[in-house]
Amino acid sequence: MKEALFEVIDRLGGELTALSDDIFDHPEVGYEEYRASGLLCDLLEREGFAVERGIAGIPTAFRAVYENGVGGPSMGLLCEYDALEGIGHACGHHTQGPCAVGAALAVKETVKDQPYRLVIYGTPAEETVGGKIQMKERGCFQDIDVALMMHPSPTTTTDVKCMAMATYQVTFHGISAHAAMSPESGRSALDAVMLAAHGIECLREHVKEDTRLHYTIKDAGGPSNVVPAAAKAEFCMRSYNTDYLYGVMERVKKIIAGAAMMTETQYEIAEDPFFMAKIPDLTLNRILMENAALVEAPTIRPPREKTGSTDFGNVMYDVPGSCIRMAFVPEGTSSHSREYLEAGKSRTAHRSVLLGAKILAASCLDMICDAGLLEQVKGDFKETKEQMGRENH
């Protein structure tokens, strides 16, 4: 049956890669991906999927569903399609939608005698505000048993972790004064920023090794001969454990409050969307990698040792999930780079779309046809999440 899946994807190959190239040629940044989401929705509607556009209050987000029979597992396929501002598709998101659609169409055309549901979620703005976060808060992803993705990469692999991330936009308010004539009348907002930054430096010694703390001054408040009445800074915190990061966030808030107290200033904190750490599902990773070996995917490697943050972590905090990373650039190449961009319409990029679709389709087939395997995936997820919670305490 997997050979039948692969034949469908090969037959659709020209259409899928042309769609990938079209999205690449018309890059759209987060929440402006009208062309990309529209092309994907149009294709899914033509193929008999029930498509909802503009879900979760986001015009460029969508949900497409196909049901075969009654009951059975609900397989989620997620895709991104936003570009990077100023450079375009230098992260490869243009390949994800065609890959997910190819996988879904292969399962729909091939698997007729088993009940299942396919749910494709179009998820905008991963590069900026993390569209999946808003989508999850508004009820998305609750209708799927597993969440699967593909992402272009220098190697073919899966991840076993990503970093939770919290970001504070902080504004301190002081009192302006002439720095030479009457400095005693002023209360420096910049002093508060600098003291908060020093507090962050002191905190580094007293957090776990995987914790990252970084910051920048976004507005120092003006010229040096004026005590600044306002200053702005950004403070970012990361950890591979979501629960642990919550504690770090509270400590950083105390540092900010202390800096304001020491300088007799006031402060405001605006929190950016919170990115959760992935709950890795090793069983699901194994299924994906076994199918990667089956299709002879290039540059198969163990999971990455270092990862950043992604809004897919928020989905994977509640639903068993995994992303197959498909090699399409030389090993060691950095994402968000000119090399990624130049390879965007290459033969290897086209191959990653089709091989990724085959891996996702075959993995869906494994779990549709083997209920015990899906239960193992769910059990692995529950056990790992509980373990990560215990590690925090």
Side-chain angles (χ1 to χ4, degrees):
M1 191 175 285
K2 287 185 180 180
E3 288 299 327
L5 288 174
F6 301 160
E7 287 175 6
V8 173
I9 293 167
D10 287 334
R11 173 166 52 83
L12 296 172
E15 184 177 7
L16 296 174
T17 56
L19 178 57
S20 175
D21 288 351
D22 192 326
I23 296 172
F24 179 89
D25 288 336
H26 301 88
E28 300 162 304
V29 297
Y31 289 161
E32 297 180 11
E33 315 97 322
Y34 293 98
R35 181 184 181 90
S37 61
L39 289 170
L40 295 168
C41 288
D42 290 346
L43 176 55
L44 288 163
E45 283 178 336
R46 289 196 301 269
E47 295 293 339
F49 282 71
V51 178
E52 301 172 74
R53 306 180 191 225
I55 63 172
I58 305 172
T60 56
F62 69 85
R63 176 178 180 266
V65 179
Y66 174 79
E67 294 195 61
N68 188 70
V70 179
S74 182
M75 313 305 295
L77 297 168
L78 280 57
C79 60
E80 302 156 356
Y81 30 78
D82 59 322
L84 293 158
E85 187 167 3
I87 189 171
H89 280 289
C91 200
H93 289 184
H94 61 292
T95 65
Q96 292 187 23
C99 175
V101 170
L105 294 182
V107 173
K108 173 180 175 288
E109 290 193 27
T110 305
V111 185
K112 302 293 187 181
D113 58 352
Q114 296 282 346
Y116 62 87
R117 177 168 58 181
L118 298 173
V119 183
I120 300 179
Y121 275 107
T123 64
E126 189 273 341
E127 296 287 3
T128 50
V129 298
K132 296 182 195 65
I133 300 173
Q134 179 176 327
M135 293 175 70
K136 174 184 169 180
E137 290 173 347
R138 297 183 180 183
C140 296
F141 316 120
Q142 296 179 8
D143 56 344
I144 54 178
D145 292 314
V146 295
L148 298 175
M149 286 186 65
M150 181 278 270
H151 198 295
S153 174
T155 62
T156 298
T157 188
T158 55
D159 287 338
V160 292
K161 58 185 177 181
C162 80
M163 302 193 91
M165 178 176 72
T167 304
Y168 293 158
Q169 307 294 337
V170 182
T171 302
F172 287 96
H173 298 282
I175 300 173
S176 181
H178 195 294
M181 301 293 292
S182 54
E184 71 281 0
S185 300
R187 297 294 182 268
S188 173
L190 179 59
D191 285 351
V193 167
M194 295 174 68
L195 283 168
H198 181 67
I200 295 294
E201 295 297 341
C202 293
L203 180 60
R204 291 187 197 277
E205 183 183 358
H206 306 288
V207 294
K208 291 183 177 181
E209 290 184 359
D210 73 352
T211 308
R212 301 288 183 268
L213 301 168
H214 32 118
Y215 56 85
T216 188
I217 299 175
K218 302 180 76 172
D219 184 350
S224 61
N225 64 341
V226 177
V227 176
K232 298 180 180 179
E234 179 178 283
F235 298 91
C236 186
M237 302 138 277
R238 303 189 201 229
S239 170
Y240 286 115
N241 188 306
T242 297
D243 291 340
Y244 180 73
L245 188 62
Y246 287 138
V248 174
M249 292 165 63
E250 292 305 311
R251 297 178 75 179
V252 170
K253 284 182 179 178
K254 291 177 181 178
I255 288 171
I256 293 167
M261 184 182 297
M262 285 187 284
T263 54
E264 296 186 338
T265 58
Q266 305 297 316
Y267 69 93
E268 300 169 1
I269 298 178
E271 297 188 23
D272 286 0
F274 182 84
F275 288 69
M276 291 180 167
K278 292 178 179 178
I279 305 296
D281 194 305
L282 300 185
T283 301
L284 197 50
N285 286 0
R286 174 179 58 78
I287 294 168
L288 288 172
M289 293 307 295
E290 286 177 352
N291 284 305
L294 177 66
V295 301
E296 299 181 344
T299 323
I300 291 178
R301 297 289 184 268
R304 298 182 299 166
E305 290 298 319
K306 289 187 176 182
T307 61
S309 306
T310 172
D311 59 2
F312 191 37
N314 293 59
V315 179
M316 288 179 56
Y317 197 79
D318 292 332
V319 178
S322 186
C323 177
I324 183 68
R325 304 187 70 85
M326 293 300 306
F328 87 116
V329 290
E331 196 165 1
T333 304
S334 174
S335 60
H336 295 200
S337 66
R338 178 62 56 179
E339 290 79 7
Y340 259 59
L341 189 68
E342 291 174 350
K345 294 170 67 176
S346 65
R347 181 183 61 84
T348 56
H350 292 167
R351 180 180 62 179
S352 73
V353 172
L354 302 186
L355 290 180
K358 291 178 181 180
I359 293 167
L360 294 180
S363 299
C364 287
L365 178 66
D366 288 335
M367 288 178 279
I368 289 170
C369 295
D370 185 349
L373 182 61
L374 181 58
E375 289 307 309
Q376 186 180 348
V377 167
K378 293 180 177 181
D380 184 10
F381 171 78
K382 181 180 179 182
E383 181 179 343
T384 303
K385 187 172 183 178
E386 292 174 349
Q387 179 183 346
M388 292 180 72
R390 289 193 297 269
E391 289 175 355
N392 180 48
H393 299 291

